[in-house]
Amino acid sequence: MRRIQSNVDTRSETFLENQRHNRRLIDELRRRQEEVRFRRPQRDIDRLTRQKKLLVRDRLSLLLDPGTPFLELSTLAANMAYDGEVPGAGQVTGIGMVAGREVVIRADDASVKGGAWYPLSVKKIVRALDIAIENRLPVVHICDSAGGFLPLQADLFADRYYAGRMFRNQCALSKMGVPQVAIVVGHCTAGGAYIPALSEYSVIVRGTGAIFLGGPPLVKAATGEVVTADELGGCDLHTQVSGTADYPAASEPEAIAIARDVVAQLRRPTKTDIDTADAEPPAYDPEELYGIVPREVKVQFDMREIIARLVDGSRFHEYQPAYGTTLVCGFARIWGYPVGILANNGVLFNDSSLKGAHFIELCNHNRTPLVFLQNITGYMVGREYEARGITKDGAKMIMAQTGSVVPKFTVIVNGSFGAGNYGMCGRAYDPRLLFMWPQGQISVMGGEQAAGVLSEIKVRQLEREGRSLGAEEIAAIREPIVEEYTRRSSAYYSTSELWDDGLLDPVDTRNALAIALSCSLNTPFADPSYGVFRF
């Protein structure tokens, strides 16, 4: 493969201004992540100390293999929900190494509302278990939850992807032969009791761990029985009498050590055999990404410059470089893993859509994982392009992408708008993982376009009624629309709602993709199969 020839002038004023702007965004991202991970009211820390409990990050430190990476997912979930009072949605999830095995970790954060599950907590847990299913990864649960947040029960209990989906996913993992280990370090109340009960292995801490469908207050209200939490569902009851838990532990460190021993006994998966090679760093400094991505989402840039700072040796075998030039397609390696990359260099036209569909088919037949780098305003609109069949050609790309059997990964590096999000493997199309850079935006269309459409509709409506609007009145309609679109299309809103699996510092993207690629190989690739293409 040839090395990409970079045309970036790292001394230009544009580059330096972009760099300053994007470094400020990364500083803000790190500040927010730091707050979510470590800053809690002192009263909550004191409460856990009195209960002889560790903070969730300390539990993770004991569980993970020393010196190994932890790919934390959706760190900033719920950052724009619940008045900002439920950092991380009260959950820590991610992929890490435990006893030399790749595992999904899901941990209740008892420093946030006693570990209670809010609707976005449930969404985050379900997503973590989906990732485990898709990649056949064992799961370690660190259980310390007060159960569902009852004032919002209507938004977390009854529907298909609400709380019941967590336990359904646990059963699906067990059916697949993918084990789960539960470490009960606090209360597992109501639905939370099923987490350890549906796990293949469970460890419970004496004195602080408890499992019960109804806690002491509910039992008293329902039956009149007065009982302590330990008598109702503590360590000795469940390891000596009920058999709901397997291993007693005198402390949290001991419980985590037992769990690590259990994981060490698990059978290692046989990885899907693909053509891997020795890894090498990019030829260009990934830090230069800060100067390449423009300050404004509407400003175009060459995605080859992004690819050159993500892939091994900055080498890229570009497919059909002279055809459909608004979509860059080609083969490369990331940490030695072969990948097929699709990256936007503008709006998707007929030729670029057909090119993308054909390249996706090639990758499927060649058993090459796909990486989508999104910076897309959508498919081209207009009478000329409809006559050429842009809807039909866009559908071909979507059909090919949906029918893919190789692992797919998506990074929204800038804009993600309209049906372009679909063709480029947005959330609805089941990428194994989807990440976003902090300057990115995602919505059905840009705020300016939406405001233009909606204000035009309003003006025409009034004209039919014999009224007209002046420039100031039209601006009064447009401005709140633009403001609301800007807020709800931001990367922070996306990650708050778990439309992605987390915001990435651009320089961390290569490593995140490498972890994701490694995990994806636990699942065998199926034979390529597609639906009906409209020719």
Side-chain angles (χ1 to χ4, degrees), residues 317-346:
H317 176 85
E318 188 167 350
Y319 174 73
Q320 290 190 324
Y323 176 73
T325 54
T326 60
L327 183 66
V328 176
C329 301
F331 299 100
R333 291 185 183 274
I334 295 177
W335 277 94
Y337 296 106
V339 293
I341 296 175
L342 294 91
N344 302 119
N345 252 15

Side-chain angles (χ1 to χ4, degrees), residues 234-399:
C235 174
D236 291 338
L237 178 94
H238 284 311
T239 58
Q240 298 175 21
V241 181
S242 78
T244 302
D246 304 313
Y247 304 96
S251 65
E252 289 193 26
E254 182 185 359
I256 293 170
I258 293 170
R260 285 181 51 80
D261 283 344
V262 170
V263 174
Q265 309 309 312
L266 301 181
R267 180 176 57 84
R268 294 181 185 272
T270 301
K271 297 274 190 180
T272 297
D273 184 24
I274 61 174
D275 180 30
T276 57
D278 292 336
E280 59 178 305
Y284 302 102
D285 187 352
E287 294 268 341
E288 293 173 358
L289 291 169
Y290 299 137
I292 294 168
V293 178
R295 302 181 297 285
E296 295 291 337
V297 73
K298 293 182 287 187
V299 176
Q300 279 295 316
F301 58 96
D302 189 353
M303 280 290 240
R304 295 175 186 83
E305 301 290 358
I306 302 295
I307 296 168
R309 288 152 181 87
L310 295 181
V311 303
D312 289 11
S314 301
R315 288 189 295 274
F316 184 58
H317 176 85
E318 188 167 350
Y319 174 73
Q320 290 190 324
Y323 176 73
T325 54
T326 60
L327 183 66
V328 176
C329 301
F331 299 100
R333 291 185 183 274
I334 295 177
W335 277 94
Y337 296 106
V339 293
I341 296 175
L342 294 91
N344 302 119
N345 252 15
V347 67
L348 288 164
F349 291 91
N350 299 74
D351 54 1
S352 46
S353 301
L354 292 171
K355 172 181 170 179
H358 189 66
F359 181 72
I360 289 168
E361 289 182 296
L362 292 175
C363 288
N364 272 266
H365 282 274
N366 199 36
R367 298 165 62 84
T368 303
L370 289 161
V371 174
F372 295 82
L373 301 178
Q374 285 197 18
N375 180 30
I376 182 63
T377 56
Y379 291 90
M380 190 61 191
V381 298
R383 180 177 177 180
E384 175 187 351
Y385 299 99
E386 292 295 352
R388 292 184 189 176
I390 185 63
T391 302
K392 185 171 64 174
D393 292 340
K396 291 187 182 77
M397 183 175 173
I398 292 172
M399 182 70 78

Side-chain angles (χ1 to χ4, degrees), residues 24-39:
R24 284 195 296 270
L25 293 182
I26 297 306
D27 288 344
E28 173 67 8
L29 173 64
R30 290 173 179 163
R31 183 191 67 78
R32 293 192 184 206
Q33 290 176 332
E34 179 78 10
E35 286 186 353
V36 165
R37 288 169 175 159
F38 300 109
R39 295 185 186 177

Side-chain angles (χ1 to χ4, degrees), residues 105-171:
I105 297 171
R106 183 213 62 83
D108 298 309
D109 187 348
S111 70
V112 179
K113 308 295 183 181
W117 292 342
Y118 282 67
L120 287 173
S121 312
V122 170
K123 189 174 183 180
K124 187 169 178 177
I125 296 169
V126 169
R127 176 58 185 152
L129 294 173
D130 281 342
I131 291 167
I133 289 170
E134 292 163 353
N135 298 283
R136 299 195 180 187
L137 291 171
V139 181
V140 177
H141 302 273
I142 302 179
C143 305
D144 189 358
S145 173
F149 184 67
L150 294 180
L152 298 179
Q153 65 83 24
D155 296 321
L156 61 82
F157 174 68
D159 207 355
R160 182 179 183 184
Y161 291 102
Y162 287 2
R165 194 73 176 188
M166 298 187 298
F167 314 126
R168 175 266 183 197
N169 277 1
Q170 284 193 272
C171 296

Side-chain angles (χ1 to χ4, degrees), residues 72-128:
E72 187 172 347
L73 303 173
S74 301
T75 307
L76 299 177
N79 77 91
M80 295 177 70
Y82 317 127
D83 297 321
E85 294 180 356
V86 189
Q91 294 288 311
V92 179
T93 63
I95 299 171
M97 299 295 293
V98 175
R101 275 78 171 168
E102 295 167 330
V103 302
V104 166
I105 297 171
R106 183 213 62 83
D108 298 309
D109 187 348
S111 70
V112 179
K113 308 295 183 181
W117 292 342
Y118 282 67
L120 287 173
S121 312
V122 170
K123 189 174 183 180
K124 187 169 178 177
I125 296 169
V126 169
R127 176 58 185 152

